[in-house]
Amino acid sequence: MGAVESTEGEREPLLVPAQPATNTTQPVFSRVYGRRWFVLTMFSLLGFMQGIVWNTWGPIQNSAKHVFEFSSTDIAVLVLWGPVGYLPWLLFMWLMDKKGLRASLLLSAFFMVLGAALRSVPLKDLHYRRWLIHGGQLLNGLAGPTIMSAGPLLSTTWFAPDQRATATAIASLIGYLGSACAFLIGPLAVPAPNDTEKLGSTIYWNQNHIGDRIQFVLYAEFGMIAALFVVVLFYFPSRPPIPPSVAAASQRLSYRSSICRLLSNMRFLMIALAYSVPTGVVAGWAGVLDMILTPVNISQVDAGWIGFWSLVGGCVFGVAMARFADYIRGMLKLILVLMFAGASLAATWFTLTCLTRLTHLPSTKATLYTSCILVGIFINSSVPIFFELFIETVYPVPEGITCGVVTFLSNLFTGLLLFFLTFYFTELSWLNWCLTGSCIFSLLLLLFFRESYDRLYLDVFVSV
């Protein structure tokens, strides 16, 4: 496994039965608790709200430009604060490893509350108001390292082996569902500035009404995040009294040893790139989807629906495939290869459709809807499958550290994409080509990847 094989000591459970096990296939020291679903729900709801806040401005970029005098560069930077918030990821991984999931999640939830509050301050001075909005988006981004990477740690800590992939999928994909709901909530709650009333020979822009609707959305998001923070503050245990499996109780590598193991493991780095490049590119691409679709005559509302269904489809399909992976174990690589073969074809179709003047392919709402939604379904649904494959590949490295590294890389590629977007935002076909190339690149890496299942081996053979 990896650069260095795990030792027998690393595979040894921390907890052992008080008496020798008799004729039973279930270890007496493992147990699952009903409260695991509450823990998963609270974690997932925080991820949901973090996704909504991150994707607030892209779907309503025309309205935000009109009310707050944002430029296209400002919209790109507002999306960029998500990846930027990932820069202190090592601190959050250390906190998660040393203090447990509760401490790290409480800190992240506090950043989310503070950020949502800053965005909601109704200053009249647009200069200072824009600074508060940018600050709020950055604070929300600081919650990303825990929210985006701790799902596999939660599933291993609380769930039995036959439910782990499903729990990972729910915890990891609900944030994407939040981003999807932002595509829906924004355009439906906030009117676009092209909905105008003609008074004589002039056009009246109802700026106050648009501003009031944006303010309502910001207040509503702040209220929901504050309520979740209070609930998590009163009850969110880091771990159950008794672990649910042998893997959950087994000894893990230290923080420093884990980082060294990951950086020296060529198989891990290979699969990490296969994950981080396409997911990082598609995150930045989806964050400015309205800007990409505007040149092909797709309205703000239609762009919102396309983004919504692409992310919702990815969440539903991802949970279904994770449930399948729980039943048919040892098939993670095959599932990912099929997903990215489909993603490569869909991304190519979408890119060529947007260049209809050159390719002469039919460019209609139906073709744009279908190709874009398929891209979202195939890429977003791969996230929990990748997470499970990472953990199997590098076990006994702790789940939080492993997924923290790969989500940092994903956010790094998102940040690079959005950074270039601040300079090249007049013609955006290059974004579509980046998306297509990232899918093909990931597919090639997956085809040459050699999979292993060290954690599954421990649960299946040691626990029997």
Side-chain angles (χ1 to χ4, degrees), residues 329-353:
R329 302 180 186 180
M331 302 284 286
L332 299 178
K333 175 184 173 179
L334 177 61
I335 293 173
L336 289 173
V337 167
L338 294 176
M339 284 180 173
F340 275 90
S344 300
L345 293 174
T348 302
W349 182 19
F350 178 81
T351 300
L352 296 178
T353 301

Side-chain angles (χ1 to χ4, degrees), residues 83 96 136 160 230 239 247-248 295 300 305 328 401 426 456:
M96 195 184 309
V230 171
R239 59 181 63 85
Q300 179 173 286
W305 278 110
I328 310 297
I401 296 176
T426 54
L456 180 62

Side-chain angles (χ1 to χ4, degrees), residues 358-396:
L358 299 177
T359 62
H360 302 291
L361 290 175
S363 178
T364 63
K365 282 186 181 180
T367 57
L368 290 172
Y369 261 82
T370 304
S371 58
C372 188
I373 290 172
L374 286 175
V375 169
I377 287 176
F378 287 124
I379 297 181
N380 295 325
S381 63
S382 70
V383 171
I385 308 299
F386 265 121
F387 279 177
E388 290 296 302
L389 187 58
F390 292 141
I391 296 165
E392 295 289 352
T393 301
V394 300
Y395 183 86

Side-chain angles (χ1 to χ4, degrees), residues 54-55 58-59 79 183 281-290 292 307 310-311:
W54 173 76
N55 199 31
V79 182
F183 278 114
V281 170
V282 79
W285 176 81
V288 293
L289 186 60
D290 186 21
I292 294 172
S310 66
L311 288 170

Side-chain angles (χ1 to χ4, degrees), residues 145-201:
T146 300
I147 297 295
M148 294 181 65
S149 62
L153 172 62
L154 186 149
S155 65
T156 298
T157 304
W158 285 92
F159 287 83
D162 61 346
Q163 295 178 337
R164 272 198 306 240
T166 304
T168 296
I170 294 172
S172 304
L173 292 176
I174 292 298
Y176 291 85
L177 186 61
S179 299
C181 287
F183 278 114
L184 181 62
I185 294 171
L188 292 181
V190 179
N194 54 5
D195 294 334
T196 60
E197 301 176 18
K198 291 189 177 180
L199 301 177
S201 59

